[in-house]
Amino acid sequence: HLNLDFGDLNYMLLIKSEIQIFDVFGELLFSKMLNSNDYSGLLVNITDFTNGVYILKFQTNQYSIERKFLKID
């Protein structure tokens, strides 16, 4: 599982924000629109993902952040 902790992020930024996970070829593997229930964090099941590099994208109406992560069993 991938544990996403939003820490001190402004609560209002999470409303209508989206989390996406892509493989290195740009294929969308996971997408979720966030809501008030996700404020404390989000647990994403990546057990079916193969080992490798993935791109996590957090997008609001104001900005977008992309981070790479490595999945290793």
Side-chain angles (χ1 to χ4, degrees):
H1 287 85
L2 178 65
N3 186 14
L4 303 175
D5 181 359
F6 302 117
D8 295 331
L9 191 63
N10 184 327
Y11 173 78
M12 294 306 293
L13 286 178
L14 286 179
I15 307 287
K16 297 183 181 177
S17 296
E18 184 176 17
I19 294 287
Q20 298 174 314
I21 298 176
F22 299 89
D23 65 15
V24 292
F25 302 108
E27 182 180 348
L28 179 63
L29 304 174
F30 174 85
S31 179
K32 181 175 186 336
M33 293 298 295
L34 300 177
N35 58 49
S36 59
N37 295 331
D38 299 315
Y39 180 68
S40 61
L42 181 65
L43 192 61
V44 179
N45 184 352
I46 60 170
T47 55
D48 291 338
F49 290 16
T50 60
N51 289 345
V53 176
Y54 294 89
I55 298 144
L56 173 71
K57 184 175 185 180
F58 175 73
Q59 189 167 337
T60 72
N61 61 352
Q62 297 177 348
Y63 63 90
S64 178
I65 298 172
E66 291 185 10
R67 296 291 184 264
K68 290 181 183 174
F69 70 92
L70 179 64
K71 188 216 182 216
I72 301 173
D73 286 331

